[in-house]
Amino acid sequence: MSDQKVISEDGFHTISSSAYGVTYHSIYGALNESITVFLSAGLQFQILKGKKKISIFEMGLGTGLNALLTLIDTADTDIHIDYTAIELHPLKWQDASELNYINELNGQQWKPSFQSMHTCPADQYVDLTSSFRFRKYHGDLLTTDIEGRYDVIYYDAFAPTAQEELWTSAVMEKMYNMLHQGGVLVTYCAKGSFKRALKSVGFKVEALPGPPGKREMTRAHK
Ligand SMILES: C[S@@+](CC[C@H](N)C(=O)[O-])C[C@H]1O[C@@H](n2cnc3c(N)ncnc32)[C@H](O)[C@@H]1O
């Protein structure tokens, strides 16, 4: 069985992964989840603190929706973004181009940047705009050395039920070390054992209201 495109409840596509038995986003709304968990709780949190240069690390580039929304959200502002993502199973552009994001967002002008996110060479920065640098690693979060320090981590791994190994204290220690002081890790996951793992490596853990279908999400502060 192969991966399938699925329409989530807000009309935005997600992908159902046959290998992991889960979807890439909440079926209650891919756009809503991305905005609530990653853009509002992560990106906007740092912007509201007055930061003008923000470095973001995304665990799991997947469809590229979080990256695309971050690009659009900060375009025509004075915010500069350095965006690094990692992905173990990169989507083919053929598949990513069939997602309805560009149409739903009325964002034809962003299509070349969205295409570059999926087709650019790994491990090196490309300038998608004059204020948005993008780099992706093709590899496994568990074994890849990730350069740099970050203000925000979008932690968008598949859920612990599918990939328990990505939610351990050892991985959270790696995330902690990748953040600047004052940096935050945001994720849709609010599982007790995960929050204990965060606390055990030094994070201060905050519960926030989650996106539709999820009572709580997590923001962890360094
Ligand atoms: C929840 S999906 C990410 C959704 C994505 N942020 C988006 O907007 O489409 C999780 C992603 O993590 C990737 N992944 C799974 N295991 C990984 C690993 N060990 N290292 C890096 N990426 C991994 C999957 O291939 C998948 O694309």
Side-chain angles (χ1 to χ4, degrees):
M1 210 173 80
S2 60
D3 291 353
Q4 303 286 336
K5 276 199 317 278
V6 178
I7 299 264
S8 70
E9 282 189 14
D10 61 16
F12 276 64
H13 274 140
T14 187
I15 292 175
S16 176
S17 163
S18 56
Y20 294 100
V22 278
T23 51
Y24 278 43
H25 309 91
S26 163
I27 49 151
Y28 298 104
L31 177 71
N32 273 324
E33 179 181 52
S34 187
I35 289 177
T36 305
V37 177
F38 302 108
L39 275 82
S40 299
L43 172 67
Q44 289 299 332
F45 175 77
Q46 294 295 13
I47 291 176
L48 287 173
K49 283 204 289 190
K51 283 192 86 70
K52 300 287 184 202
K53 288 191 171 185
I54 300 177
S55 49
I56 298 173
F57 175 74
E58 178 175 23
M59 162 51 203
L61 177 68
T63 62
L65 180 59
N66 293 332
L68 176 64
L69 292 173
T70 300
L71 173 66
I72 294 173
D73 203 42
T74 53
D76 303 323
T77 71
D78 56 355
I79 310 293
H80 280 69
I81 301 288
D82 252 25
Y83 200 103
T84 296
I86 190 165
E87 177 54 60
L88 184 56
H89 309 292
L91 285 189
K92 293 192 189 77
W93 170 240
Q94 172 66 40
D95 296 326
S97 68
E98 289 172 5
L99 298 164
N100 65 0
Y101 302 156
I102 295 291
N103 282 346
E104 287 292 314
L105 294 164
N106 268 328
Q108 278 308 322
Q109 80 208 82
W110 301 111
K111 192 167 178 184
S113 297
F114 188 54
Q115 179 165 0
S116 293
M117 288 172 184
H118 288 283
T119 57
C120 69
D123 303 338
Q124 62 195 62
Y125 276 108
V126 290
D127 288 319
L128 297 184
T129 68
S130 58
S131 56
F132 194 104
R133 284 207 311 166
F134 179 83
R135 168 177 67 163
K136 66 181 173 191
Y137 290 94
H138 287 177
D140 186 337
L141 180 74
L142 298 176
T143 52
T144 304
D145 284 329
I146 294 147
E147 283 174 19
R149 290 283 174 277
Y150 299 88
D151 300 302
V152 183
I153 294 179
Y154 293 171
Y155 202 79
D156 202 7
F158 287 134
T161 45
Q163 285 196 288
E164 197 180 5
E165 70 279 11
L166 294 174
W167 302 88
T168 63
S169 50
V171 179
M172 289 310 117
E173 186 169 32
K174 179 168 177 165
M175 297 301 104
Y176 189 87
N177 291 334
M178 282 167 51
L179 282 171
H180 288 300
Q181 201 63 38
V184 290
L185 177 151
V186 284
T187 182
Y188 64 85
C189 182
K191 195 177 171 186
S193 57
F194 166 60
K195 291 198 273 189
R196 286 192 291 281
L198 287 168
K199 285 180 192 157
S200 74
V201 300
F203 278 108
K204 187 171 153 266
V205 175
E206 184 184 9
L208 298 172
K214 199 116 190 30
R215 197 169 54 86
E216 268 184 15
M217 57 160 283
T218 302
R219 179 163 60 202
H221 301 253
K222 175 165 175 174

